[in-house]
Every structure is written in C-alpha cells, then in structure tokens.
Amino acid sequence: MADLPHATPGLVVLIAALAFLAFFVLVPVRADRHQFIDLQENDMANHPYVGLWVTGDGHIRHELLPSGRYIEGRGSRERAYVGRYEVRGSQINYWDDSGFIADGEFRSDILYHGGMVLYRH
C-alpha cells in the first residue's frame, strides 16, 4: 500500500470485486444476448411474413429479412428506406434508420401499411 497512499484496503477490495463482476458476470450476459439474437433470427427464417411484399403496381417493395431488418424499394430506388421491424401477431412495427416509425397489419396474407396494400411476391 506504500505505492498508493490514498488506497485503503476497503477500496482495493471494492475495485477487485467490480473487476470480478465486470469480467465474470457482464461478459457472459453479452454472449447470451448474441445467442438470443441468433435464435431469434433462426425463428424468423421460417416466419410466415418474412419475404418480399409488393404493391399491385410493383412501385413499393418491402423485403422483410429474417434478421428483423427491412429494405423498402420505391420505383427505381432499391433502398429508399431501411430499418428494423418487429411482428407481433398480425401487427408489424417499423423503425426506420432515419428516425421515423410506422406500422401495418397483415390480413389474409395481405400487408396493409400506410394506406398501401402489399401482396406477397
């Protein structure tokens, strides 16, 4: 303790305990989180709504990826909007990377979103 004049034995024990928690508790939590994301992606790979949804005229295209991400194409713009989505029951919520949010609903294998009607392609 001569090298650290302000360090008390209690402070040294506290620092050691925090280091222990950080390494042995927080690191496994991160691993479990990645494992959860992998499991969620595997579940979404077989989800009935994953895939391409297109308006009748083909102008708007929503590609719902198994990763929980989406790509919206508009006309000649293949990536007009990108972001993440979540499906709960027949409801879908979108969080675009640019900051806006939207929602929609699946009914009889048709996606109703923002006044648009999209069909499975």
Side-chain angles (χ1 to χ4, degrees), residues 30-44 66-68:
R30 287 185 183 169
D32 289 344
R33 187 171 135 218
H34 291 297
Q35 184 179 14
F36 173 75
I37 291 169
D38 290 343
L39 290 174
Q40 183 180 17
E41 186 169 335
N42 288 337
D43 290 344
M44 287 301 294
S67 62

Side-chain angles (χ1 to χ4, degrees), residues 23-111:
F23 187 75
F24 292 105
V25 175
L26 297 179
V27 170
V29 167
R30 287 185 183 169
D32 289 344
R33 187 171 135 218
H34 291 297
Q35 184 179 14
F36 173 75
I37 291 169
D38 290 343
L39 290 174
Q40 183 180 17
E41 186 169 335
N42 288 337
D43 290 344
M44 287 301 294
N46 297 317
H47 194 281
Y49 299 139
V50 167
L52 184 60
W53 297 83
V54 181
T55 56
D57 62 3
H59 185 74
I60 308 292
R61 300 164 307 280
H62 284 199
E63 185 174 5
L64 303 180
L65 304 170
S67 62
R69 301 282 296 168
Y70 75 92
I71 302 169
E72 180 176 319
R74 288 182 173 245
S76 62
R77 294 180 60 201
E78 289 300 319
R79 296 176 65 87
Y81 300 100
V82 295
R84 68 181 181 92
Y85 74 93
E86 185 176 286
V87 175
R88 292 183 187 250
S90 63
Q91 301 294 314
I92 184 167
N93 292 303
Y94 297 90
W95 292 271
D96 189 80
D97 290 348
S98 67
F100 72 85
I101 59 173
D103 61 8
E105 181 180 11
F106 294 94
R107 284 185 264 148
S108 300
D109 212 32
I110 298 172
L111 171 56

